[in-house]
Amino acid sequence: MISVPEARPVGAAGDLAVFRRDFYRCLTRRGDALFELADAVLCADGPVRSLPVLSLVAEHRRGHGALYDALAAGRVDVERLRSAVTSTPMPRAADGRIVLAVDVTCWLRPEAHTVPERILCHTYGRGKDQHIGVPGWPYSFVVALETGRSSWTAPLDAVRLSPGADLAAVTARQVGDVVARLLAAGHWRAGDPDIWIVMDAGYDAARLAWLLRDLPVRVLARLRSDRVLRRPTPPKLPGVLGRPRRHGGEFIFGDPASWGEPDVTTVTETRLYGTATARAWYRLHPRLTRRAAWADCPDLPILEGTLIRLDVARLPSGATAKPVWLWCSAGTGHAPAFDHPDAAMVDRLWQAFLRRFDIEHTFRLFKQTLGWTVPKLRDPHAADRWTWLTIATFTQLRLARPLAADLRRPWEQPAPPERLTPARVRRGFRHLRATTACPAGAPKPSRPGPGRPPGQPNRQPTRRYDVHTLTSNEAGKTTSKKKKSSNPRPRRTG
């Protein structure tokens, strides 16, 4: 018999149907139960507050025992699911380029003493001007950003950070794999603009730029306000002896006298921030030192880039606006480089960084609406399984965005289809599910297991695990907590 290739539907409805079939094929064990669990998350009324309550949703045709068994014993082909998520239509910036944002969010498990591989995660806003460490599972996410005022992103990958993992190495490997899948899916071709990787100040931007130097990417990161960069090396004067200099003069963020005249200055009127003034200086690089992060590098490189200082008139919250320092790495050779960006490109850079905050909306939707951190799972692999189910459900919401109707509450304002939020798209997904592919099979009749015999309690106590508090750079070292200096010195090394 000659096999006929499956016809691919066109349009938004076709993209949603294709992804649902691909998602079902990625569920290699307990596939029907896992697929219906994802549909229950999409079709439930209101936020997900309890995992067993999802078994009462009409789209979940199995009992709560099948739900527990799917998360505990199911299997998800993560590599295939990564490719399926990347093959979907990709959001782009205003100039047509792909902008990726990376960040770490935590699944907190403070009292789960029987859960392995917990790390002391830094949390914010849990005390007055305090950063409190809470045990949990940190996950590194990579999402594609949209342009304009929107809370939508496209989550492409998630990796749980194991104890002692190097964040820069994990992020570089993760971003490299995502870019490779984007190239394989045809989202980037030779001659297209470089892919921007946007990140906050917690990342080592120089090291990531070096580790990703063979890819068509450019790193855009925020720098702390106490940093010091170096200018290009001046030419060696004739007759001067000694080794040639590797670094030029210092550019001290806290000392305006060391800045000099900016190469580009732009002034933009914004709705939220008022007047935004951006000043850019070309060819500035950090001074690297021979430390653990660069131990495997024989020669310390000179990583030049463009430094941008962004000043805004006000903040939406009414707080005092502080300047933001951004550093963008130079070209890679895979696409037209802009080692000397013009005014329009400088504005695109700082606007792309402001779009990075859309990833916070995605994290909030994952935790408060889709119930990502609701299950009290003990196995970290089950947590990874549930994380990818959450990514798959959000991807279906993103594909259903052009098809959803505005089922608004009486107190909500009407919104056009392109302005619907993910939560409002989720309200109408139950109506879309009836017209799209549902490959999951019907449940088979079964009986519940006998369980533990009456009168015989479990006499095997569950193993308890300690919380990992040391990073890979701190392992084997005992350091005492130093008192914070009232007059700290600027950071002159990378």
Side-chain angles (χ1 to χ4, degrees):
M1 180 181 296
I2 300 177
S3 61
V4 180
E6 184 180 4
R8 181 184 180 92
V10 295
D15 294 336
L16 178 60
V18 169
F19 177 78
R20 284 174 64 85
R21 285 196 292 263
D22 292 342
F23 171 51
Y24 180 75
R25 297 189 184 106
C26 298
L27 309 177
T28 56
R29 185 187 297 178
R30 309 293 195 275
D32 294 336
L34 288 173
F35 189 85
E36 290 191 356
L37 175 58
D39 277 358
V41 174
L42 287 169
C43 301
D45 295 331
V48 177
R49 302 297 187 190
S50 174
L51 194 62
V53 172
L54 291 176
S55 63
L56 303 179
V57 180
E59 286 73 16
H60 192 277
R61 298 174 293 179
R62 292 161 172 82
H64 64 278
L67 185 148
Y68 294 141
D69 183 62
L71 285 181
R75 292 293 181 271
V76 179
D77 190 347
V78 176
E79 292 301 326
R80 187 172 181 177
L81 184 54
R82 285 188 172 112
S83 300
V85 170
T86 310
S87 62
T88 58
M90 198 61 50
R92 296 176 181 268
D95 57 350
R97 74 173 69 246
I98 298 176
V99 180
L100 304 179
V102 297
D103 202 356
V104 175
T105 185
C106 300
W107 183 341
L108 300 181
R109 302 300 308 275
E111 298 179 357
H113 303 289
T114 59
V115 171
E117 302 183 14
R118 290 186 303 162
I119 302 177
L120 200 61
C121 307
H122 293 281
T123 58
Y124 308 95
R126 292 177 176 265
K128 185 177 180 181
D129 299 331
Q130 293 181 354
H131 302 294
I132 303 175
V134 180
W137 290 318
Y139 278 83
S140 174
F141 279 82
V142 178
V143 305
L145 302 178
E146 289 191 2
T147 184
R149 296 169 53 197
S150 172
S151 61
W152 287 91
T153 64
L156 302 179
D157 194 39
V159 173
R160 178 171 50 85
L161 300 179
S162 59
D166 187 354
L167 179 60
V170 172
T171 305
R173 191 181 313 113
Q174 184 182 16
V175 171
D177 295 340
V178 170
V179 173
R181 290 192 294 270
L182 290 174
L183 270 61
H187 294 300
W188 188 92
R189 295 181 176 86
D192 291 347
D194 274 345
I195 301 173
W196 289 355
I197 313 297
V198 187
M199 60 194 66
D200 207 359
Y203 290 86
D204 191 346
R207 187 181 176 197
L208 285 174
W210 174 253
L211 294 176
L212 301 173
R213 62 189 181 278
D214 296 330
L215 297 176
V217 301
R218 197 181 304 272
V219 174
L220 174 62
R222 182 174 70 91
L223 300 182
R224 291 175 44 169
S225 58
D226 61 348
R227 292 292 302 272
V228 176
L229 298 184
R230 297 301 184 100
R231 301 183 185 274
T233 306
K236 187 176 181 180
L237 299 178
V240 177
L241 303 179
R243 186 178 63 179
R245 296 177 57 184
R246 285 178 53 86
H247 310 285
E250 291 184 340
F251 187 102
I252 306 174
F253 289 8
D255 184 10
S258 64
W259 298 353
E261 290 296 325
D263 298 305
V264 174
T265 302
T266 65
V267 179
T268 308
E269 293 294 332
T270 62
R271 185 183 64 89
L272 292 177
Y273 304 99
T275 303
T277 304
R279 288 175 285 178
W281 293 266
Y282 300 147
R283 299 188 61 189
L284 293 178
H285 65 273
R287 179 179 177 271
L288 306 180
T289 57
R290 184 68 64 182
R291 52 190 175 90
W294 300 94
D296 55 349
C297 187
D299 297 322
L300 294 178
I302 301 295
L303 303 173
E304 293 185 342
T306 300
L307 180 67
I308 301 175
R309 176 188 166 101
L310 177 64
D311 295 275
V312 298
R314 62 177 184 270
L315 293 179
S317 61
T320 304
K322 297 181 180 180
V324 176
W325 294 92
L326 305 175
W327 183 81
C328 181
S329 60
T332 60
H334 295 268
F338 58 89
D339 295 337
H340 296 77
D342 54 9
M345 188 60 68
V346 169
D347 285 339
R348 293 195 194 104
L349 286 171
W350 66 261
Q351 290 170 5
F353 176 78
L354 295 184
R355 290 261 62 87
R356 189 203 70 85
F357 293 97
D358 293 342
I359 195 174
E360 303 296 339
H361 297 289
T362 302
F363 292 158
R364 181 178 181 179
L365 182 83
F366 275 20
K367 296 179 180 180
Q368 297 186 5
T369 303
L370 302 182
W372 175 48
T373 58
V374 166
K376 306 303 181 183
L377 303 175
R378 182 180 297 175
D379 186 8
H381 302 289
D384 299 341
R385 203 171 299 124
W386 176 248
T387 300
W388 276 103
L389 285 182
T390 307
I391 293 177
T393 56
F394 187 84
T395 303
Q396 295 181 60
L397 289 179
R398 183 169 60 87
L399 297 177
R401 182 180 175 186
L403 308 172
D406 185 14
L407 304 179
R408 66 184 181 90
R409 302 287 189 257
W411 54 84
E412 294 177 343
Q413 295 293 332
E418 65 274 6
R419 296 294 301 165
L420 292 179
T421 62
R424 291 173 76 161
V425 172
R426 179 172 173 261
R427 293 176 190 169
F429 192 87
R430 173 171 288 172
H431 305 286
L432 298 175
R433 180 183 179 275
T435 61
T436 188
C438 295
K444 299 178 181 179
S446 61
R447 295 182 182 178
R452 184 181 294 112
Q456 295 186 8
N458 184 12
R459 302 185 183 280
Q460 297 180 357
T462 306
R463 181 180 175 183
R464 302 170 73 90
Y465 298 89
D466 295 331
V467 180
H468 186 87
T469 58
L470 297 180
T471 62
S472 59
N473 297 333
E474 299 170 343
K477 298 181 181 179
T478 303
T479 58
S480 59
K481 187 176 180 180
K482 298 181 180 180
K483 184 179 180 181
K484 188 175 181 180
S485 174
S486 59
N487 187 19
R489 297 180 58 189
R491 297 178 60 190
R492 284 177 161 77
T493 60

